[in-house]
Amino acid sequence: MPKKGGAKAAKDKEDAAPKAAGTAGATGYMFGTVRERAAMKNQDHKGWNYGILFAFAAALAAPFFIPEYRARVADGMREIESAKFLYGWCSLLDFAGSAMVCFSYRCATEKAIADGDESLCRKHSSPLAHYAYGIFTCLFSQFGGTTSTAVFLGQNASWTAGNHVTNAFLLAWWLTFCCPMDLWFSAMKLRAVRFPVQAVACVSGAHAVTSWGLEKALVA
């Protein structure tokens, strides 16, 4: 007659075998689970990525310590800032920034309405409400920072100094929402078309923070 203890030990061994097999299949490595090992590898890659990014930024910033190079860059930035098109009626930087703001707003709005956002559906219940709410939201998103700076400094907003800024915004808004056959919005969905506009919009954002924001505050 087999002993009770021997039968229990055999059963424990049988139960332990599948558990060990399942654990080995889940880990796949000697130390840690597969997810933990992947996280460790990602951390190593992040360290290298940050190091390369810092080295690249340092290489770009180094020439700015040379006065002649810094003066040339400043002249180039002034030329870019004053760049216009359509016979001087529209500012290039403001058009690119406004185009990206309007495009992002329309994409976000369409997604929210498709998801069933009731409050947004009410705001866009009529064509007049749709266009009025859209133009004021895009206007504040594009010029809200410079307007706030001007209000705090007791000055006029820089975008009211000339018609070329408002013309650029109105052109970008019209192309995004009212373009025939929706050609502009359809084209902006393509990365190849959107990337150059985004690049110029980044320059516009940098100018908004520096030339149109920080420098204006320091000189005031």
Side-chain angles (χ1 to χ4, degrees), residues 61-107:
F64 285 93
F65 291 95
I66 303 173
E68 293 81 3
Y69 180 82
R70 193 163 60 243
R72 289 183 181 179
V73 171
D75 293 339
M77 288 294 103
R78 277 192 290 269
E79 290 182 7
I80 293 173
E81 182 178 346
S82 60
K84 298 179 181 65
F85 64 100
L86 288 181
Y87 304 101
W89 280 87
C90 297
S91 166
L92 179 63
L93 293 183
D94 290 295
F95 172 77
S98 301
M100 288 309 305
V101 166
C102 294
F103 175 77
S104 301
Y105 169 78
R106 180 171 171 179
C107 289

Side-chain angles (χ1 to χ4, degrees), residues 2-205:
K3 293 182 180 179
K4 256 185 173 180
K8 187 177 180 183
K11 188 177 180 182
D12 290 340
K13 280 185 181 180
E14 290 176 1
D15 293 337
K19 289 181 181 177
T23 306
T27 59
Y29 291 95
M30 187 178 295
F31 302 105
T33 62
V34 175
R35 187 174 295 177
E36 289 171 351
R37 296 283 293 185
M40 291 173 65
K41 288 183 180 180
N42 288 337
Q43 286 179 356
D44 295 339
H45 292 161
K46 282 182 181 179
W48 278 104
N49 292 340
Y50 286 138
I52 293 171
L53 182 62
F54 178 78
F56 181 71
L60 288 178
F64 285 93
F65 291 95
I66 303 173
E68 293 81 3
Y69 180 82
R70 193 163 60 243
R72 289 183 181 179
V73 171
D75 293 339
M77 288 294 103
R78 277 192 290 269
E79 290 182 7
I80 293 173
E81 182 178 346
S82 60
K84 298 179 181 65
F85 64 100
L86 288 181
Y87 304 101
W89 280 87
C90 297
S91 166
L92 179 63
L93 293 183
D94 290 295
F95 172 77
S98 301
M100 288 309 305
V101 166
C102 294
F103 175 77
S104 301
Y105 169 78
R106 180 171 171 179
C107 289
T109 302
E110 289 183 353
K111 184 179 182 303
I113 292 176
D115 292 341
D117 190 331
E118 295 182 1
S119 62
L120 201 59
C121 289
R122 285 195 298 270
K123 291 175 183 176
H124 295 267
S125 57
S126 67
L128 178 61
H130 170 74
Y131 289 117
Y133 185 79
I135 195 170
F136 281 113
T137 303
C138 293
L139 184 67
F140 182 79
S141 299
Q142 173 63 12
F143 301 115
T146 53
T147 304
S148 301
T149 302
V151 169
F152 287 133
L153 295 176
Q155 301 175 357
N156 294 326
S158 57
W159 59 273
T160 61
N163 293 332
H164 58 280
V165 179
T166 52
N167 290 340
F169 170 79
L170 292 174
L171 176 62
W173 183 86
W174 181 85
L175 287 173
T176 304
F177 293 95
C178 306
C179 182
M181 295 184 291
D182 219 9
L183 292 176
W184 174 262
F185 185 72
S186 301
M188 284 289 286
K189 289 181 178 179
L190 302 175
R191 186 179 295 273
V193 177
R194 191 170 65 251
F195 182 77
V197 182
Q198 282 180 318
V200 181
C202 288
V203 178
S204 175

